[in-house]
Structures are given as structure tokens and as C-alpha cells.
Amino acid sequence: MNIIETHDLTKSYGDFTAVSHVDLHIRQGRVYGFLGPNGAGKSTTMKMFLGLTRPTGGSFSIDGKNYPSQRTEILKEIGSFIEAPAFYGNLTGEENLEMIRRILGLPRRCVEETLELVGLTPYKNRLAKKYSLGMKQRLGLAQALIGRPPILILDEPTNGLDPVGIHEIRSLIRSLPRQYDCTVLVSSHLLSEIELMADDIGILNHGHLLFEGTFDELKAIARSDGFPADNLEHMFLAMIDQDNRKRVKQP
């Protein structure tokens, strides 16, 4: 079952098309790795799902609910981490989560559970403005996770983390569908991490979806096209390079 589907989803800014006629099929209970070079349209697509920017063409549905008519219902099911996490620097990590807990009407235990989940319990009483970059990323992830939403949309969740932190967050994301019966859409520039955590992947370039499917399906396509198929990074770079060459040749 697909929990997120798009049909000809398009977003243009004047003469520039950031996302072009994209059809995504994100399956329930999976980790979906969303890949593409800078400016490929990943963040724009995620922002459309969150109602932060409106599509200029096409449509999408999330958990059977259509945008924009059911925008409010859609947002209730999504926890998100887009770009730099937003929080109040003069409040502690715990206080930032407590504000969200109250807004959502969640039980008090949710704050402690979420802090423990992302490894911030020892730093819960520190002001957020004094957090390191990695700790700020963890706090952003905690804000997305509190309340255990059925859908998580995470844009570069391991940015700024050291190797140990990256491993911990990757393991956490990998475990979420099984532990909490949720679906995760995650983008990252660390292709080796996506290879270890994702069940399915989608590859964007210049706003166009080049591939969507499992790693085995991607390997089969890579081999048929004569690409290296030993790891995701090699396949990704070869596919992007091939698409860029085609664009240069087009009149």
C-alpha cells in the first residue's frame, strides 16, 4: 500500500521548474531514501507535502487524503525535519519539547521518552542555543518524533553529526517502521547511509524522477546500462552523469 502518492507533481518559479511531473509511490512502513544533487527538487517536494509551498501542477495524496482539500488532516499525521531545525534558543531542549507536547495535547511522558530516543537526556536542561550542531540536529529530530506520527519527513537528519552520531541516528531511523509502524521519507547527501537505512529509493535530477524502486531493481538497471553496480554512490553518480549528458545534447 502506498501511503504517499504524487501524480504529475510540478512546482515552478517563474521560468524555472524545480519539480517536473513527478510520480512518487512511497510504500507504507518503509524507509524511502530521496536522492539527488543540490537543487534537484528534493526539498521543494518535501515542502509541498507539508503545505509550505503550493504545487503549480499535478496532485498528491497522503494516507488517502488529498491536498489541498484535506491539508489540515494531512499535517496531523506528519512529523517533519526540514533544513535547519527551528526552536527557541533561550529555552532548554526539554522546554522546547514541552511546548510541542502541550500544543499537541500529548501525555507528559512523551518528552522524556523522545529525549531518550534521540540521546539528549543528559543535555535536556541545557539551553538550546548552547547545543552543538549535532545536538541541534537531534533536537530537531526529537521535535519530529514526539507523538510518534505515522509519517516522518526528514531532510538531512544526520547533518553535523560525528560518525558515532550518524550511526546512532541511522539505526534509529532504520528501526522506526518496525518499532512505531511509521513510514519515513528521508533525504541525505550521505549515500552510504541511505544504502544502509532505506528500503526503497527515488532519484531526482533537475526536477525529474530518474528512478524509483528497490536497490535490487536499481542494480539491474545499472547493469543493463553498463553502469557500475557495486554500491549506491557509483550507481547514483553514473545515472546523474548520463542524464546530464542527455540534457547537454538536447537542442
Side-chain angles (χ1 to χ4, degrees):
M1 172 184 171
N2 296 326
I3 197 165
I4 299 178
E5 287 190 3
T6 74
H7 305 280
D8 283 328
L9 189 63
T10 300
K11 178 63 180 180
S12 298
Y13 300 93
D15 294 333
F16 173 69
T17 300
V19 177
S20 182
H21 305 286
V22 167
D23 294 332
L24 291 178
H25 308 84
I26 299 173
R27 294 188 280 177
Q28 186 172 12
R30 310 276 285 189
V31 176
Y32 187 105
F34 207 25
L35 305 178
N38 286 334
K42 305 184 302 298
S43 293
T44 300
T45 301
M46 290 177 162
K47 288 176 180 177
M48 284 191 279
F49 291 159
L50 295 169
L52 299 176
T53 187
R54 294 180 66 91
T56 49
S59 62
F60 69 86
S61 64
I62 295 181
D63 198 15
K65 301 172 179 66
N66 297 314
Y67 180 89
S69 61
Q70 295 175 285
R71 177 177 181 269
T72 302
E73 290 84 353
I74 287 172
L75 292 179
K76 288 179 180 177
E77 299 194 25
I78 298 176
S80 65
F81 180 116
I82 300 291
E83 297 177 343
F87 45 76
Y88 292 96
N90 289 324
L91 297 181
T92 67
E94 183 178 37
E95 289 168 339
N96 271 278
L97 291 184
E98 176 64 18
M99 287 183 62
I100 297 175
R101 181 197 72 77
R102 290 181 180 180
I103 291 170
L104 297 177
L106 300 170
R108 290 182 179 275
R109 69 176 184 275
C110 288
V111 172
E112 287 296 333
E113 290 175 354
T114 307
L115 286 167
E116 184 68 27
L117 196 60
V118 300
L120 280 181
T121 299
Y123 314 102
K124 66 180 183 179
N125 294 320
R126 184 179 297 183
L127 293 180
K129 66 182 179 182
K130 294 186 177 181
Y131 276 7
S132 67
L133 177 57
M135 290 165 66
K136 289 175 181 176
Q137 293 295 105
R138 291 174 185 270
L139 181 57
L141 189 57
Q143 290 173 328
L145 285 167
I146 193 168
R148 299 181 182 177
I151 302 166
L152 282 171
I153 295 179
L154 309 176
D155 193 9
E156 301 289 343
T158 57
N159 186 36
L161 296 177
D162 60 21
V164 173
I166 290 172
H167 171 76
E168 291 173 350
I169 296 301
R170 180 228 305 158
S171 298
L172 171 60
I173 292 171
R174 179 67 258 173
S175 71
L176 288 173
R178 182 181 68 256
Q179 281 188 298
Y180 302 125
D181 191 28
C182 68
T183 302
V184 184
L185 172 60
V186 55
S187 75
S188 177
H189 287 103
L190 300 176
L191 301 186
S192 58
E193 290 304 312
I194 291 292
E195 190 166 17
L196 291 170
M197 77 171 76
D199 301 299
D200 306 308
I201 60 170
I203 298 176
L204 281 182
N205 192 38
H206 295 289
H208 293 267
L209 187 65
L210 302 186
F211 171 82
E212 181 182 63
T214 66
F215 285 107
D216 287 341
E217 290 167 342
L218 179 58
K219 287 178 181 179
I221 290 175
R223 291 191 186 99
S224 68
D225 289 345
F227 296 158
D230 51 338
N231 64 54
L232 176 59
E233 182 174 0
H234 291 160
M235 291 185 285
F236 170 81
L237 292 174
M239 186 170 286
I240 295 297
D241 182 62
Q242 181 190 60
D243 186 61
N244 288 339
R245 289 175 184 272
K246 288 179 181 178
R247 293 177 185 280
V248 171
K249 292 179 181 179
Q250 290 175 353

